[in-house]
Amino acid sequence: MEKIIKLENVVWRRDGEEILKDISWEVDHGEHWAILGLNGSGKTSMLNIIMGYNYPTAGGVSVLGTEFGKASLPEMRKKIGFVSNALGKFQQTMNRETIENIILSGKFASFGIYEEITSEDERRAANILKDLRLEYISGKRYAVLSQGEQRRVLLGRALMSQPELLILDEPCAGLDVLAREDVLSMTESVAEDTLPLLYVTHHIEEITDAITHVLLIRDGEIIAKGPKQEVLTTENLSAVYKIPVRMHWEAERPWMSVERPQKESR
């Protein structure tokens, strides 16, 4: 069975600077990965390569059976559901649309509907609204929704095309605790349906029970990768965040605190 993602010795340079350095990583069927790292660590650069928006300077890439350089990357992208703050650049367009239209637009990877919608499409969108517990805002425009509701609508849009891989790039950024937990609950439900998931975040407490594996990246290099119980250690997290931390498990989720130096007694 083909790997969901296979990166072999990937290097990516921009303006002469090496952003990604010898990245090798595989994602198998049945695995759900979290990707952790500081801003500027290379997380977004790696996602852009996986999505086919950037081409590696060196190394091999295969995503969903598409080997880069030998097949159509636009066709590959249609198989990927994507939720990111980067979609905020389409905010003005989305604000004018109903939530149903935004979800339906996911079939065409567009913002706005410019192709024919079938009755089957409408049934699928209605089922997504139900599954994501969004029926209570049916018919409302995107502009009047809370941030948490907007993220759930974008998750519904990503699911509309029945993707073979779902990428969530910091989906809880800027949300309060209640909205965050709601989005995480929705994410767990999606992962239970066996849809492969990549979840990118700064915050280890967002790694729910549904996540099976973790990749840690620092300065364009992989620090650790593998099953989450093996990777999420105090030593590894201190290395990736460049500061002494302490981590522990609670209610099947990891939590972390910064280790502050003790003051000398006088």
Side-chain angles (χ1 to χ4, degrees):
M1 184 178 293
E2 292 177 329
K3 305 286 185 182
I4 299 294
I5 297 170
K6 187 173 183 179
L7 307 182
E8 295 182 282
N9 306 114
V10 166
V11 174
W12 187 64
R13 298 185 183 92
R14 181 183 60 197
D15 299 328
E17 181 181 359
E18 197 167 74
I19 307 299
L20 296 177
K21 309 167 185 176
D22 196 28
I23 298 291
S24 292
W25 176 44
E26 296 181 354
V27 175
D28 278 314
H29 292 266
E31 296 177 350
H32 304 301
W33 284 76
I35 302 172
L36 292 176
L38 294 172
N39 285 336
S41 62
K43 301 190 306 298
T44 298
S45 297
M46 191 163 65
L47 283 189
N48 284 337
I49 285 177
I50 291 169
M51 294 282 292
Y53 293 124
N54 288 337
Y55 205 84
T57 307
V61 180
S62 176
V63 178
L64 297 173
T66 299
E67 188 174 346
F68 284 29
K70 297 184 179 180
S72 169
L73 297 186
E75 287 301 312
M76 178 204 72
R77 288 189 205 109
K78 293 179 181 178
K79 302 177 184 179
I80 301 175
F82 184 54
V83 177
S84 170
N85 278 338
L87 299 179
K89 61 187 176 184
F90 302 106
Q91 185 85 18
Q92 289 186 335
T93 300
M94 291 190 291
N95 283 343
R96 297 191 293 267
E97 298 284 353
T98 65
I99 63 172
E100 287 85 354
N101 280 352
I102 289 177
I103 289 174
L104 284 165
S105 72
K107 178 182 178 181
F108 312 107
S110 63
F111 287 94
I113 297 176
Y114 309 103
E115 301 182 49
E116 183 179 356
I117 295 296
T118 67
S119 57
E120 177 59 32
D121 293 334
E122 292 175 341
R123 282 193 293 270
R124 176 163 177 76
N127 286 335
I128 288 173
L129 279 174
K130 181 179 179 180
D131 292 343
L132 296 183
R133 301 198 300 270
L134 290 170
E135 291 176 298
Y136 71 98
I137 53 174
S138 179
K140 288 190 175 182
R141 288 186 303 110
Y142 189 80
V144 304
L145 306 184
S146 69
Q147 275 192 309
E149 290 167 340
Q150 288 180 350
R151 298 291 167 80
R152 286 156 60 193
V153 168
L154 291 179
L155 177 57
R157 177 184 177 275
L159 296 173
M160 183 64 198
S161 63
Q162 298 178 284
E164 298 177 29
L165 172 65
L166 180 63
I167 298 177
L168 304 181
D169 183 13
E170 299 187 31
C172 297
L175 300 184
D176 62 30
V177 173
L178 179 60
R180 181 191 71 179
E181 293 303 310
D182 203 16
V183 170
L184 291 176
S185 175
M186 296 297 97
T187 301
E188 282 205 291
S189 297
V190 169
E192 287 172 0
D193 291 334
T194 71
L195 174 63
L197 171 67
L198 300 187
Y199 188 99
V200 182
T201 182
H202 300 290
H203 306 291
I204 69 167
E205 66 271 16
E206 293 178 13
I207 298 177
T208 64
D209 192 42
I211 298 296
T212 60
H213 291 67
V214 173
L215 180 147
L216 303 180
I217 186 168
R218 168 178 164 166
D219 297 334
E221 297 181 281
I222 293 176
I223 295 295
K225 59 186 176 182
K228 63 181 178 182
Q229 295 281 357
E230 298 176 11
V231 170
L232 294 176
T233 65
T234 291
E235 181 181 10
N236 283 342
L237 292 172
S238 295
V240 80
Y241 289 119
K242 303 181 181 181
I243 190 172
V245 301
R246 178 188 300 170
M247 71 84 57
H248 69 280
W249 294 88
E250 185 175 328
E252 303 298 326
R253 284 166 66 177
W255 299 83
M256 183 180 74
S257 59
V258 175
E259 287 281 86
R260 299 195 180 279
Q262 294 184 350
K263 295 181 179 180
E264 294 183 6
S265 57
R266 295 181 179 179

